Amino acid sequence: MEWTGARYADGPTAEVTTWIDAPAEAVWPAVVDLAAMAGTSPELQAVEWLDGAGPAVGSRFVGHNRHEALGEWSATSQVVECAPPRVFAWAVHDPADPSATWRFTLHPEGSGTRLTEWVRLGPGRSGLSQAIEKMPDKEQKIVFVRLREFEANMTATLAGIKERAEGRG
């Protein structure tokens, strides 16, 4: 990831892509298996669907997270896009003013699938907002470091999805 000088209000993003040797229909179940995703992410520790729901627009889940510098927290998210086997996305906290939006897109490519994970910070407040308020002169660095962490975590998540979708995990 290159330095952009982005501020939180800019809605900065990070994106990671991988190619998976399986059709999108075979990759999709691994993308929407959020409980298994927790096993591959260094930060996401567990996920619980609320109200007996599963992956569908409007469904909600709670993600439990841990970060060395930020501590432990839980956040409720709502699925905002679910178009099998192409797009799965959710907004953290309030879908109208999310603290982050996460999206997976699946594109058939050759005999496999190009899988992309993308995240946008804000516009709603998050734990990062509190750090920025404490050190406003370091906002751009705080945002950059967090996006680099997201990029590393997403790389691990996509590797886990690839392994499961290709039948190796």
Side-chain angles (χ1 to χ4, degrees):
M1 169 170 280
E2 292 184 27
W3 173 263
T4 64
R7 297 185 178 278
Y8 192 82
D10 297 332
T13 64
E15 180 176 287
V16 175
T17 299
T18 192
W19 185 82
I20 299 176
D21 189 14
E25 294 78 12
V27 175
W28 180 259
V31 167
V32 297
D33 186 351
L34 299 181
M37 200 176 296
T40 61
S41 169
E43 195 166 305
L44 181 65
Q45 302 299 300
V47 174
E48 309 162 28
W49 286 101
L50 298 175
D51 308 319
V57 172
S59 294
R60 298 178 314 127
F61 62 88
V62 176
H64 304 281
N65 303 278
R66 182 174 49 227
H67 184 281
E68 186 176 302
L70 302 173
E72 294 185 10
W73 72 96
S74 296
T76 300
S77 295
Q78 184 171 333
V79 176
V80 294
E81 289 182 80
C82 187
R86 297 180 328 239
V87 179
F88 182 60
W90 63 89
V92 181
H93 299 300
D94 179 0
D97 191 32
S99 60
T101 303
W102 294 84
R103 177 176 291 112
F104 286 92
T105 55
L106 298 82
H107 297 285
E109 185 176 289
S111 61
T113 303
R114 176 78 41 198
L115 176 64
T116 300
E117 184 176 5
W118 171 91
V119 62
R120 182 187 67 224
L121 294 174
R125 291 183 52 77
S126 71
L128 203 59
S129 304
Q130 296 166 5
I132 291 166
E133 287 168 0
K134 290 178 183 173
M135 298 177 283
D137 56 317
K138 297 186 185 320
E139 177 178 5
Q140 292 167 302
K141 183 175 181 180
I142 291 168
V143 168
F144 179 70
V145 167
R146 190 64 174 135
L147 289 175
R148 285 187 58 199
E149 289 174 341
F150 280 165
E151 188 176 67
N153 293 348
M154 291 188 299
T155 298
T157 296
L158 291 187
I161 291 170
K162 177 179 176 71
E163 189 172 288
R164 288 191 308 280
E166 291 178 349
R168 296 179 288 125

